[in-house]
């Protein structure tokens, strides 16, 4: 049997799956938290991760997959967190264990941290100082090109240490292939800003106007589903020479795995939250009237209409951590798992109608970075814990609804929402609020969807092009 290995390099964890090529079914899977966050010299404004720790998590996951299946892997599909950037320097040769086995790794002095999509170093004033791009997609803080502009203006000496850059998933592809050329998909390039999706090239005129470090940018841009290279060494039984697809965006991969009909929309709530559907006719030369909906390259020259909120599972996690801290200050220690369990139970039991409204934008939004969280409608009857949690869940979904409404979905023929992401799948209170705000059927998807999508996209694209 022929197998495909799918890898998803997420914001907090790595997921890997082995998919049987003909049946397109998952035969094995593994996941691991990366625990890669490192303190930033900018405090809360910065957000970065340790790249070797991310690579180690990938290596560990693959090592735990069944060896008999790994030996049958013919190709590898990879996706990961969008917008972020890491820089590295040749030679990018992976290290080897003492027994000569291939190890996915890179020396710390040859790679920067990953500056993630959550990085906030580019404030409004800085973003307004950047040259205007002809791209239909705006540039926000945490986007690769904005981060490079910031370093070029504030810490140029950091850039001198490296000679190339990409998303972290682009680095993974480069290391596995042992390739000097960084090949980037249109999906990841568009997520950086300053990318012209129709001509598939960087907006060189705007970038050069701002004295951008052009030498670092990937120059070979491929359509999603194309082959970026071949595995340079046997890897836990995966044979040398296995085809490796160009790295994809995790959102596109997740949608690809979940969509069954053009009339479906996909709702993902994990660290952040996104609601997306495939737009049948969008062209990037059409002026986008909405700041809240953006259109990212998908597959087969189509675009995803995306409402991407910075506030999802991270907002709920902050509330849980705050409760845990308050109980600790009162002299009690309660595990986070117990806090979650109790909140969900209380939220499900609470059936009272409340006027409490929580605007959950602790991190602002890309179109409104200065927006803050607020709570209104507090009365003597609304302060019990179940009501607070339910109101917070409601606020997260209402925030998405304000960005992409039920009316917008219905106007595009959407009749069902497919949900995924640990923040949604594990939280029935949040699921209930989705149905309340959208009044559409909600079907929960699989686990490991983005990794599955990366594998499926490679299977179908390669077969189509042969």
């Amino acid at each position: 049997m022929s197998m495909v290995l799918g890898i998803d390099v997420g914001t907090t964890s790595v997921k890997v799956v082995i998919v049987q090529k003909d049946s397109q079914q998952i035969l094995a899977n593994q996941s691991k938290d990366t625990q890669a966050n490192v303190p930033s010299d900018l405090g809360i404004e910065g957000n970065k991760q340790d790249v070797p720790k991310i690579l180690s998590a990938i290596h560990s996951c693959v090592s735990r997959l069944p060896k008999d299946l790994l030996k049958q892997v013919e190709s590898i599909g990879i996706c990961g967190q969008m917008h972020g950037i890491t820089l590295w320097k040749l030679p990018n040769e992976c290290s080897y264990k003492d027994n000569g086995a291939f190890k996915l790794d890179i020396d710390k002095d040859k790679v920067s941290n990953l500056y993630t999509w959550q990085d906030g170093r580019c404030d409004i004033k800085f973003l307004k100082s950047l040259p205007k791009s002809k791209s239909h997609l705006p540039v926000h803080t945490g986007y690769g090109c904005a981060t490079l502009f910031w370093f070029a203006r504030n810490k140029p000496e950091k850039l001198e240490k490296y000679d190339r850059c990409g998303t972290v998933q682009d680095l993974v592809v480069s290391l596995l292939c042992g390739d000097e050329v960084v090949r980037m998909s249109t999906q990841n390039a568009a997520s950086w800003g300053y990318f012209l999706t129709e001509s598939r090239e960087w907006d060189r005129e705007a970038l050069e106007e701002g004295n951008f470090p052009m030498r670092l940018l990937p120059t070979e841009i491929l359509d999603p589903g194309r082959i970026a290279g071949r595995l340079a060494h046997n890897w836990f039984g995966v044979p040398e020479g296995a085809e490796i697809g160009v790295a994809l965006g995790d959102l596109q991969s997740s949608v690809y795995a979940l969509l069954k009909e053009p009339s479906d929309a996909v709702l993902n709530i994990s660290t952040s939250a996104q609601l997306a559907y495939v737009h049948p006719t969008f062209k990037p030369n059409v002026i986008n009237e909405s700041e809240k909906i953006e259109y990212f390259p998908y597959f087969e020259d189509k675009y995803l209409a995306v409402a991407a909120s910075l506030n999802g599972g991270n907002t709920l996690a902050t509330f849980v951590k705050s409760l845990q801290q308050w109980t600790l200050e009162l002299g009690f220690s309660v595990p986070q798992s117990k806090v979650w369990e109790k909140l969900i139970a209380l939220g499900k039991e609470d059936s009272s109608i409340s006027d409490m409204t929580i605007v959950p934008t602790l991190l602002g939004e890309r179109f409104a970075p200065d927006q803050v969280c607020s709570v209104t409608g507090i009365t003597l009857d609304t302060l019990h814990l179940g009501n607070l949690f339910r109101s917070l869940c409601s606020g997260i979904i209402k925030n998405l609804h304000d960005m992409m409404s039920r009316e917008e979905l219905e106007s595009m023929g959407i009749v069902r929402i497919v949900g995924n992401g640990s923040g949604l799948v594990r939280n029935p209170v949040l699921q209930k609020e989705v149905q309340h705000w959208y009044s559409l059927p909600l079907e929960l998807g699989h686990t490991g969807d983005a990794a599955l999508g990366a594998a499926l996209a490679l299977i179908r694209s390669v077969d189509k092009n042969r």
Side-chain angles (χ1 to χ4, degrees):
M1 292 190 295
S2 300
M3 306 291 171
V4 178
L5 174 63
I7 300 173
D8 172 30
V9 189
T11 304
T12 58
S13 65
V14 166
K15 299 180 181 69
V16 300
V17 297
I18 291 182
V19 178
Q20 205 281 319
K21 187 175 178 181
D22 292 335
S23 68
Q24 301 188 2
Q25 296 298 307
I26 296 176
L27 299 186
N29 64 82
Q30 289 288 337
S31 65
K32 182 177 176 62
D33 289 344
T34 59
Q35 299 180 329
N37 285 344
V38 294
S40 170
D41 52 356
L42 297 178
I44 61 172
E45 296 303 320
N47 190 283
K48 58 188 183 180
Q49 296 181 347
D50 183 284
V51 171
K53 282 188 177 180
I54 296 172
L55 299 178
S56 176
I58 298 170
H59 199 74
S60 174
C61 283
V62 174
S63 74
R64 289 183 276 120
L65 291 169
K67 299 298 183 290
D68 60 319
L69 296 180
L70 287 171
K71 290 177 181 178
Q72 301 176 68
V73 168
E74 294 182 347
S75 52
I76 304 173
I78 300 172
C79 69
Q81 52 178 298
M82 298 163 65
H83 309 299
I85 181 171
T86 187
L87 301 98
W88 65 95
K89 184 178 179 62
L90 284 177
N92 61 1
E93 297 173 357
C94 295
S95 62
Y96 288 78
K97 295 179 182 178
D98 291 339
N99 62 6
F102 174 71
K103 183 180 180 184
L104 181 63
D105 199 4
I106 186 171
D107 292 339
K108 277 203 168 190
D109 61 350
K110 292 191 176 80
V111 66
S112 74
N113 289 125
L114 165 63
Y115 300 92
T116 79
W117 59 271
Q118 298 178 103
D119 192 86
R121 70 188 62 228
C122 301
D123 58 21
I124 295 176
K125 182 179 178 182
F126 180 84
L127 291 171
K128 286 184 176 179
S129 74
L130 300 180
K132 186 173 177 57
S133 175
K134 295 190 291 291
S135 172
H136 76 280
L137 288 165
V139 63
H140 299 290
T141 187
Y143 282 28
C145 283
T147 303
L148 279 179
F149 263 126
W150 189 92
F151 275 104
R153 294 184 182 183
N154 295 279
K155 294 186 176 181
E157 69 280 1
K158 286 253 187 183
L159 301 183
E160 294 303 317
K161 297 168 60 178
Y162 308 107
D163 56 18
R164 60 208 60 225
C165 65
T167 65
V168 67
Q169 56 268 29
D170 293 320
L171 171 62
V172 172
V173 170
S174 180
L175 292 174
L176 290 176
C177 294
D179 207 333
E180 296 184 6
V181 178
V182 181
R183 296 180 176 89
M184 196 179 211
S185 70
T186 55
Q187 294 177 355
N188 285 327
S191 79
W192 273 15
Y194 289 93
F195 183 73
L196 308 177
T197 59
E198 209 161 28
S199 59
R200 292 170 172 77
E201 61 185 358
W202 301 105
D203 188 350
R204 298 185 68 90
E205 183 179 346
L207 291 170
E208 289 172 352
E209 177 188 334
N211 295 317
F212 185 86
M214 297 296 297
R215 66 179 181 84
L216 294 170
L217 278 181
T219 55
E220 195 163 335
I221 308 297
L222 303 180
D223 287 337
R226 295 291 182 178
I227 300 302
R230 293 182 177 274
L231 185 64
H233 308 276
N234 183 291
W235 188 31
F236 291 115
V238 179
E240 177 184 338
E243 293 179 330
I244 300 178
V246 65
L248 308 173
D250 54 356
L251 174 61
Q252 289 93 334
S253 297
S254 181
V255 170
Y256 196 79
L258 291 165
L259 277 187
K260 297 177 182 176
E261 302 292 340
S263 56
D264 290 343
V266 170
L267 171 62
N268 176 73
I269 301 179
S270 48
T271 304
S272 55
Q274 303 91 23
L275 180 61
Y277 63 88
V278 180
H279 198 290
T281 60
F282 178 80
K283 297 297 180 185
N285 57 355
V286 176
I287 296 174
N288 179 16
E289 300 290 348
S290 172
E291 291 182 310
K292 299 180 179 181
I293 299 175
E294 296 179 356
Y295 298 86
F296 288 96
Y298 186 53
F299 295 94
E300 298 179 352
D301 293 327
K302 289 187 172 64
Y303 286 78
L304 274 187
V306 182
S309 173
L310 299 178
N311 302 274
N314 47 10
T315 300
L316 291 171
T318 299
F319 181 59
V320 168
K321 289 176 184 176
S322 297
L323 283 177
Q324 188 185 35
Q325 182 61 33
W326 295 342
T327 58
L328 193 61
E329 290 170 1
L330 290 170
F332 305 96
S333 178
V334 183
Q336 276 194 30
S337 58
K338 292 294 184 183
V339 179
W340 277 108
E341 183 181 318
K342 190 65 176 177
L343 284 174
I344 289 173
L346 291 172
K348 287 168 63 177
E349 291 172 4
D350 195 310
S351 58
S352 59
I353 298 174
S354 172
D355 292 328
M356 178 185 289
T357 299
I358 299 178
V359 179
T361 47
L362 284 172
L363 298 173
E365 292 294 2
R366 290 191 176 111
F367 59 86
D370 290 336
Q371 187 171 318
V372 295
C373 183
S374 64
V375 184
T376 57
I378 298 175
T379 68
L380 290 174
D381 298 324
T382 58
L383 284 175
H384 45 95
L385 199 51
N387 186 64
L388 276 168
F389 185 68
R390 199 186 70 180
S391 297
L392 180 55
C393 289
S394 180
I396 288 170
I397 304 304
K398 182 183 183 300
N399 183 50
L400 269 177
H401 189 273
D402 289 344
M403 298 168 70
M404 184 181 283
S405 67
R406 180 182 64 198
E407 291 73 24
E408 159 80 7
L409 295 182
E410 289 178 341
S411 72
M412 299 306 300
I414 302 301
V415 299
R416 182 179 65 165
I417 295 175
V418 182
N420 76 312
S422 57
L424 180 63
V425 172
R426 299 175 185 172
N427 188 341
V429 182
L430 208 53
Q431 296 164 22
K432 185 176 180 180
E433 292 302 323
V434 173
Q435 293 172 312
H436 167 71
W437 283 102
Y438 282 96
S439 298
L440 290 172
L442 173 66
E443 177 182 309
L444 297 180
H446 332 272
T447 58
D449 293 306
L452 173 60
L456 293 180
L458 191 57
I459 290 171
R460 295 169 190 173
S461 295
V462 169
D463 285 348
K464 183 177 179 180
N465 291 313
R466 278 179 175 161

